[in-house]
Amino acid sequence: MTKHIKKCTFDDLGVLQEVSVETFTETFKNDNSPENMKAYLEKAFNLKQLEKELSSSSSQFFFVYLDDEVAGYLKVNTNDAQSEEMGEESLEIERIYIKSSFQKHGLGKYLLDQAIEIATELRKKKIWLGVWEKNKNAIAFYKKMGFVETGAHSFYMGDEEQIDFIMAKTLIYQ
C-alpha cells in the first residue's frame, strides 16, 4: 500500500466537501443529535465556507491518499486563521480526518508528521489542536505523539455547547 499527500486546490472543493461530511459524520453521528449534526455540517462544510477557508493564505488543506484513493485530509492554520489566539509562533491543526475504512493504516500519524513538518519549515515554536473531551481515542493518540493538555475551549455542535481540550506540543530546534 502506498500513501502520499497532496495540497488541496480550488479544483478539489467538491471532493473536500464530500470527504469532510463523510469523515465528520462517521466520527460524531453516534454522539450527537441528527439536528445538531445537520446544522453543523451545513455551516462548516458548505462550498462557500470551504472556498473561503481554502483561499486564506493562513490555512492549508492536504489530502492523504492510500493507493491513489483519497483517505482523508489535514487542515492547518497559522496567524489569524487559528481558532484561538495563540500567536504568530503557533500552528493549529484544525482537522485530521480519516475515512473509517482507511483507519488503522498510520494515516493519522502521517498527516500529523506533515503538520509538524510545516510548522518546522515556518519555524513555529508550538503546534496545537482542539480535541473533543469525549474523543478518548484521539486524546490517547495525541498524548502518545507528545501533546499535552493545556486548556479547553467551547465548540458548538448546532445549538449544543461542547468542550474541546486544547493540546499542544512544543517544537525544539537545534
Side-chain angles (χ1 to χ4, degrees), residues 80-116:
D80 60 340
Q82 295 178 87
S83 60
E84 290 286 332
E85 286 190 32
M86 295 291 189
E88 291 187 16
E89 295 182 337
S90 296
L91 178 135
E92 175 188 20
I93 299 172
E94 185 175 351
R95 299 179 193 137
I96 291 183
Y97 290 151
I98 306 294
K99 293 179 181 180
S100 61
S101 58
F102 289 96
Q103 291 178 359
K104 308 295 184 207
H105 291 283
L107 298 177
K109 183 179 182 316
Y110 191 58
L111 288 176
L112 180 61
D113 289 343
Q114 172 75 15
I116 291 170

Side-chain angles (χ1 to χ4, degrees), residues 26-133:
E26 288 174 341
T27 305
F28 300 111
K29 73 177 177 202
N30 293 333
D31 297 306
N32 292 282
S33 74
E35 299 79 21
N36 283 339
M37 282 293 295
K38 183 177 187 296
Y40 182 79
L41 292 171
E42 288 175 354
K43 178 182 174 197
F45 301 129
N46 69 70
L47 286 176
K48 190 173 184 178
Q49 179 62 33
L50 290 172
E51 184 175 5
K52 178 182 169 192
E53 293 175 18
L54 196 57
S55 67
S56 169
S57 62
S58 297
S59 294
Q60 297 180 69
F61 289 83
F62 298 88
F63 284 138
V64 63
Y65 291 82
L66 191 61
D67 291 336
D68 297 321
E69 191 173 341
V70 175
Y73 76 98
L74 163 72
K75 180 185 181 202
V76 296
N77 299 317
T78 57
N79 305 322
D80 60 340
Q82 295 178 87
S83 60
E84 290 286 332
E85 286 190 32
M86 295 291 189
E88 291 187 16
E89 295 182 337
S90 296
L91 178 135
E92 175 188 20
I93 299 172
E94 185 175 351
R95 299 179 193 137
I96 291 183
Y97 290 151
I98 306 294
K99 293 179 181 180
S100 61
S101 58
F102 289 96
Q103 291 178 359
K104 308 295 184 207
H105 291 283
L107 298 177
K109 183 179 182 316
Y110 191 58
L111 288 176
L112 180 61
D113 289 343
Q114 172 75 15
I116 291 170
E117 187 176 310
I118 293 165
T120 301
E121 287 171 8
L122 296 173
R123 302 299 288 175
K124 301 297 182 185
K125 293 185 177 171
K126 180 171 71 172
I127 190 165
W128 71 277
L129 52 90
V131 60
W132 190 27
E133 66 182 342

